[in-house]
Amino acid sequence: MKFLNIDYSRCKQVVTKLNNHFENKVELASVEFPKKINYGTNEYYIYMFYSCLLDYGMRSKIYHKNLIDAYEKHSKIFCPSYVGKMSEDELHNIIVNNIHPRYPNVATRKWINLSNELLKYDSILYYLKSISNFEELNKFIKNLKCYGQKTGGLLMRIICDSKVCDFQENIKSIPIDRHDIEISRLTSIINTINISKNEIIELSDAYVNVGKELNINPSNIDKYLWEIGNSYCNKKYCEDCPLNNMCMKLK
């Protein structure tokens, strides 16, 4: 089996620098939701299940703005029982005209599948409260068969950060997307962006293990990487980036 060549000491240096820069930023990488929804309610968690469904990390802020606008106009599509009564064409048109996903047909099918899964629970809030460890939460999200590595990881991070479940564990994996891979390559943690699914898991494990060693919540590392990608890399604000003296792009 091929293993990814990861520079663990470099990873520690990068995470340390990120933590020093972002440690006191309260609203870092927060996932926005409609003001009409109260945080921590059943409605909040249902919204977050839908919210993470199509959040692939690309143009994330625009996506969440579109999603909130869609909720303001068509809040019923965020109700699993109502979605079950809609025609697929009606749902498709609302999603296309309001959320503007990159792959509309895939998005509509995922929305329907998730709604059918959520319908199996009288209250997602109460079910989440009954989950007693991280592995149980991870298994629950995977068994929905609606989320990939990135979207499922984001959902687990949101749920764990909210402290709704009956455990105090930190997340045990970081959802790695192409931005995280590129940041890892540019800072010489890895030497290629062409990595397999198993190697993505290895990279995620490296960040988690560094977090444990440095006593930094892996959830925060996930947020730090997201903020670097969204606020600096995407906007080409290289000179202002906290990793600018470690980045190959500026050397």
Side-chain angles (χ1 to χ4, degrees), residues 102-242:
R102 189 175 181 184
Y103 304 106
N105 292 335
V106 173
T108 302
R109 178 47 49 192
K110 283 191 169 189
W111 204 278
I112 292 170
N113 290 343
L114 175 61
S115 300
N116 290 336
E117 289 299 320
L118 293 178
L119 274 173
K120 298 175 182 178
Y121 302 89
D122 293 332
S123 168
I124 282 296
L125 172 61
Y126 288 131
Y127 184 78
L128 292 176
K129 284 183 175 181
S130 73
I131 294 177
S132 59
N133 57 68
F134 180 84
E135 292 305 327
E136 187 180 347
L137 174 62
N138 187 30
K139 184 177 179 181
F140 166 59
I141 300 298
K142 283 186 175 180
N143 285 345
L144 294 175
K145 297 181 179 178
C146 296
Y147 300 91
Q149 185 263 154
K150 182 64 181 180
T151 54
L154 175 61
L155 179 57
M156 282 188 282
R157 190 248 285 172
I158 289 170
I159 292 172
C160 285
D161 285 355
S162 75
K163 307 297 185 186
V164 64
C165 297
D166 189 24
F167 64 84
Q168 300 299 316
E169 296 174 79
N170 291 329
I171 61 172
K172 294 183 178 179
S173 63
I174 290 175
I176 300 291
D177 66 7
R178 66 178 184 85
H179 294 298
D180 302 328
I181 294 170
E182 179 67 4
I183 291 166
S184 301
R185 185 190 70 84
L186 288 173
T187 54
S188 301
I189 295 171
I190 58 177
N191 58 10
T192 179
I193 59 171
N194 300 314
I195 64 177
S196 67
K197 288 184 178 180
N198 286 337
E199 290 170 332
I200 286 174
I201 294 172
E202 290 176 48
L203 182 58
S204 172
D205 289 344
Y207 278 113
V208 170
N209 290 334
V210 163
K212 289 178 180 177
E213 187 175 339
L214 298 175
N215 198 27
I216 298 171
N217 190 333
S219 177
N220 289 338
I221 299 175
D222 180 31
K223 294 175 186 177
Y224 300 160
L225 291 170
W226 186 92
E227 193 66 30
I228 290 293
N230 188 69
S231 297
Y232 298 98
C233 297
N234 283 352
K235 298 176 181 177
K236 296 181 170 41
Y237 291 165
C238 298
E239 294 292 340
D240 299 323
C241 178

